[in-house]
Amino acid sequence: RSLRICRRGPPSVLCSSMMFLRLALLLVVPMEALSFVASAARVRPSLTVRAVSEGDIASSVDLDQPHKGRGLLKAVPLGVGCASPQCVVTNSDLEGVVETSDEWIRTRTGISQRRVLGDYDESSESVANLATQAAKNALEAAKCDAADLDLVILCTSSPDDLFGDASTVARNLGASNAVAFDLTAACSGFLFGTVTASQFLHNGAFRRALVIGADALSRWVDWDDRNTCILFGDGAGAMVLGATETEGQGGVLGFAMHSDGGGHDQLNLLFKGEPRDLATPQGTRVVGGSYNAIQMNGREVYRFAVSRVPQVLDEALRNADITVEQVDWLLLHQANIRIMEAVADRLGIPKEKIITNLSDYGNTSAASIPLALAEAVASGKVKKGDVIACAGFGAGLSWGAAIFQWGGDVNADGLLDPFARAYGPPPQN
């Protein structure tokens, strides 16, 4: 590991000295020169230290220190499950849709096929139904009753209902005691949702939580654009988390999350208004709602990912107080095999430790991490006690990482029992 600031001598004295020195530099040295000073003070090869401004002196001093409150969360994974549509579209199938080839797609992305939803019908495949099936599989794996859930978070950018699908999924499961809501953070969604749910478990508000990632971006791609239509598929994955009162039972060991709206133009799915004039006395124009297809600057998104993801994983490892050598598996958002390999290379993680099912499913957005994890657990690849470095990244732009230890057990010592219910489900009409 590289050198760490404020580890020699009393931390408070050295950190205060660093802050005073940077403040003095800010007052007397031109900003152009200060950028050189900041560059020379870089302490980790993977981190880029900006020239500091007066507003961020305090936060920039401890770049290499664990961040208080972003370490261990007493929330242990109990089970994981997944679901995907029946319809498979191979790279060869797409040769008749756009100018492309199986070889061209595989060598540039690592994708061989993807699964897509067909015609929408509430009684057939839909985002809510995929999410429900993945959740049922996770609950079964966790040996958890849906009625014991306190929280259901559905991470999605493509719900069937613009108002959200989480409450529908909770109803489908029989999770009558849970509060349910959607969380939108694109391909970072499941990572952000897992950290959010773990906070509720850690602080004692809830005992059992279900986090689902589900998306159907095949609905929102331009099937005449070979740069985007080849990438995306549909699917769902879910994980059950339980609150624990003791350490050492697995769970979230450390995390970090970020976003930067300055990169919004590189990847988006924008509102498209259709004006309509209303015959009011004064004349009123309103806008009917629809959306454009996904727009992505692939080159810039790649540069963003291979830069930011190693940084945020490094940050999460420090918050977890573990080294990269202690990581058993690297699980990234399944966007592009080149990104995964580049991140692994930057961190010094062997490629054999990368968990991926990108070839079979494509980029399933918020579903990609739990879908890949579910298959890795089911196959026996991921075992109890394994440390997984996980990162999501995507539109926003947003990115985050969590280090967690697999191997929750409903019979483990320290796992808190579900809340006793003083009330039953609401009456049915």
Side-chain angles (χ1 to χ4, degrees):
R1 306 287 282 177
S2 52
L3 295 176
R4 298 190 173 190
I5 301 175
C6 303
R7 285 295 173 91
R8 299 178 183 174
S12 60
V13 174
L14 285 176
C15 287
S16 298
S17 300
M18 288 284 288
M19 185 180 297
F20 178 81
L21 175 60
R22 292 192 181 193
L23 181 58
L25 285 170
L26 190 67
L27 294 174
V28 300
V29 180
M31 187 58 68
E32 293 80 2
L34 191 58
S35 63
F36 172 79
V37 175
S39 178
R42 189 176 294 124
V43 293
R44 281 180 180 265
S46 62
L47 294 179
T48 300
V49 183
R50 295 180 295 112
V52 288
S53 63
E54 192 168 5
D56 63 8
I57 289 177
S59 63
S60 66
V61 172
D62 293 325
L63 278 175
D64 202 41
Q65 293 296 302
H67 195 292
K68 183 178 180 180
R70 298 179 189 173
L72 177 69
L73 297 176
K74 295 179 181 178
V76 59
L78 301 177
V80 64
C82 63
S84 59
Q86 295 181 358
C87 179
V88 176
V89 179
T90 67
N91 292 346
S92 298
D93 293 336
L94 290 179
E95 291 176 3
V97 179
V98 292
E99 184 181 351
T100 191
S101 69
D102 173 56
E103 188 272 340
W104 190 90
I105 298 171
R106 280 189 296 103
T107 56
R108 286 163 176 77
T109 68
I111 299 169
S112 296
Q113 64 180 36
R114 70 285 300 143
R115 294 173 179 248
V116 298
L117 291 175
D119 292 338
Y120 174 70
D121 184 339
E122 290 186 4
S123 64
S124 63
E125 288 184 336
S126 65
V127 172
N129 287 347
L130 283 178
T132 299
Q133 187 57 54
K136 287 181 177 179
N137 293 338
L139 287 167
E140 181 179 355
K143 298 180 176 61
C144 178
D145 193 311
D148 289 335
L149 293 173
D150 304 298
L151 174 66
V152 175
I153 300 178
L154 175 56
C155 310
T156 182
S157 300
S158 54
D160 299 327
D161 183 343
L162 189 60
F163 290 154
D165 288 340
S167 57
T168 299
V169 173
R171 178 204 63 192
N172 294 345
L173 296 172
S176 55
N177 296 304
V179 58
F181 59 84
D182 285 32
L183 185 152
T184 300
C187 302
S188 303
F190 184 80
L191 190 286
F192 285 15
T194 298
V195 172
T196 300
S198 297
Q199 294 280 5
F200 280 107
L201 298 173
H202 181 78
N203 68 24
F206 298 135
R207 296 281 179 85
R208 296 288 185 274
L210 172 68
V211 183
I212 310 166
D215 268 310
L217 293 188
S218 68
R219 295 173 173 176
W220 300 105
V221 298
D222 178 356
W223 286 99
D224 294 320
D225 177 11
R226 74 168 188 165
N227 293 314
T228 56
C229 75
I230 64 171
L231 301 176
F232 297 99
D234 306 333
M239 183 163 66
V240 179
L241 296 162
T244 178
E245 60 184 356
T246 60
E247 300 180 9
Q249 296 296 335
V252 178
L253 307 179
F255 67 93
M257 301 187 296
H258 300 280
S259 63
D260 178 10
H264 170 260
D265 291 344
Q266 308 304 333
L267 177 56
N268 55 54
L269 203 171
L270 298 176
F271 175 82
K272 179 176 68 175
E274 298 178 355
R276 175 184 174 183
D277 293 323
L278 302 182
T280 60
Q282 69 276 19
T284 303
R285 172 165 288 189
V286 295
V287 179
S290 62
Y291 287 86
N292 288 300
I294 294 172
Q295 300 293 321
M296 182 176 70
N297 183 334
R299 185 182 301 274
E300 289 303 315
V301 171
Y302 177 87
R303 290 176 58 188
F304 149 73
V306 298
S307 170
R308 292 300 192 183
V309 174
Q311 290 177 5
V312 79
L313 279 164
D314 184 81
E315 184 182 354
L317 285 167
R318 282 185 280 111
N319 290 337
D321 196 26
I322 67 173
T323 67
V324 71
E325 290 76 20
Q326 294 172 273
V327 172
D328 296 298
W329 301 104
L330 177 64
L331 174 55
L332 305 182
H333 164 52
Q334 306 287 293
N336 186 300
I337 193 63
R338 291 180 174 181
I339 292 176
M340 289 185 252
E341 291 177 347
V343 171
D345 184 63
R346 280 195 159 190
L347 292 171
I349 295 177
K351 291 181 175 59
E352 296 75 28
K353 291 187 175 184
I354 298 174
I355 295 175
T356 178
N357 61 0
L358 174 68
S359 177
D360 295 330
Y361 295 96
N363 180 345
T364 55
S365 191
S368 76
I369 290 175
L371 206 163
L373 177 61
E375 291 196 339
V377 171
S379 69
K381 177 181 288 188
V382 172
K383 299 177 176 60
K384 185 174 182 178
D386 284 356
V387 174
I388 305 171
C390 181
F393 54 92
L397 294 168
S398 61
W399 64 102
I403 313 301
F404 62 93
Q405 188 173 27
W406 187 254
D409 186 338
V410 291
N411 298 314
D413 293 336
L415 184 69
L416 296 172
D417 292 330
F419 283 125
R421 306 296 177 181
Y423 53 87
Q428 301 295 316
N429 293 331

